Amino acid sequence: MDKQFLNKAIAKAKESAMQSGFPAGAVVVRSGKIVGEGVSVGNKLNDPTSHGEMASIREACKNLRTSDLSDCIMYASMQPCLMCLGAAMWSSIPKIVFACPKEKVSDDYYGGHYVPSVINTGLTHPIELVHFAELENESLTIVRDWEKSL
C-alpha cells in the first residue's frame, strides 16, 4: 500500500511542477483511502505556507471535519520541511512516508541547514519518519527536471 500512495504523492509533485510550482506533493490517507492531497503552488497563490503537505493536511481536515489526523498516514514526495513537519505534529499525524530525503537536494529548498529527524525527536509528539528509498529516484527526477526548467 505504501508504494501506491507514495506514487500518488509523486504524481502530485509532477502536477505541481507542471503548474509552475515547487516539485513536491503529498497525500493523506485514512483507512486505505486518500482524504487529502496537495501540490506546492504557494508561489502562485501568494501563500508561503502552501506546500503540498500543508495543502493535503488542510484538505484532509476539511474532508474529515476534524483537526485530529491521528488515524492517518501522510505520503510525501520529499521529506517534509520544518513547517510541514510541525503541521503534521499539530494535526497528530503519527507517520510520514517520503521518497526523497532532504540531503539529496539543496538546503535552500528547506530554508537552511538542519536535520529534520533530529528536530522530530524533540517534538511533543514525534512522528514516525519512513524513507521509502525504492521511489527516491522517481521523486528526485522530478526535482532535477524542474531545476533544469528554471
Side-chain angles (χ1 to χ4, degrees):
M1 285 297 246
D2 283 349
K3 187 173 184 177
Q4 170 191 346
F5 293 122
L6 196 50
N7 273 322
K8 178 66 174 176
I10 292 168
K12 296 305 288 182
K14 191 170 196 170
E15 180 183 324
S16 183
M18 288 172 34
Q19 293 179 28
S20 300
F22 184 76
V27 297
V28 174
V29 175
R30 178 185 185 201
S31 301
K33 181 182 176 204
I34 294 174
V35 294
E37 51 187 65
V39 294
S40 298
V41 291
N43 60 324
K44 292 180 69 179
L45 300 175
N46 299 312
D47 179 0
T49 70
S50 193
H51 292 194
E53 299 91 339
M54 299 291 283
S56 68
I57 290 170
R58 285 184 190 118
E59 186 174 276
C61 289
K62 181 180 176 185
N63 288 339
L64 299 173
R65 297 176 184 224
T66 183
S67 60
D68 179 4
L69 302 179
S70 60
D71 56 353
C72 297
I73 298 173
M74 176 184 286
Y75 294 86
S77 64
M78 297 177 71
Q79 186 171 7
C81 70
L82 287 180
M83 175 182 67
C84 297
L85 184 66
M89 186 217 49
W90 286 113
S91 63
S92 300
I93 290 175
K95 180 178 179 181
I96 299 173
V97 179
F98 62 92
C100 183
K102 178 183 181 293
E103 61 269 9
K104 294 287 183 162
V105 297
S106 171
D107 280 337
D108 291 343
Y109 300 160
Y110 285 85
H113 308 283
Y114 57 86
V115 181
S117 58
V118 172
I119 292 167
N120 181 52
T121 62
L123 297 177
T124 303
H125 303 287
I127 297 167
E128 180 184 355
L129 300 174
V130 179
H131 173 213
F132 197 90
E134 183 180 336
L135 294 177
E136 181 179 307
N137 286 334
E138 284 82 345
S139 180
L140 196 53
T141 296
I142 296 167
V143 174
R144 298 296 181 234
D145 289 346
W146 172 79
E147 289 172 336
K148 290 176 193 169
S149 75
L150 298 178

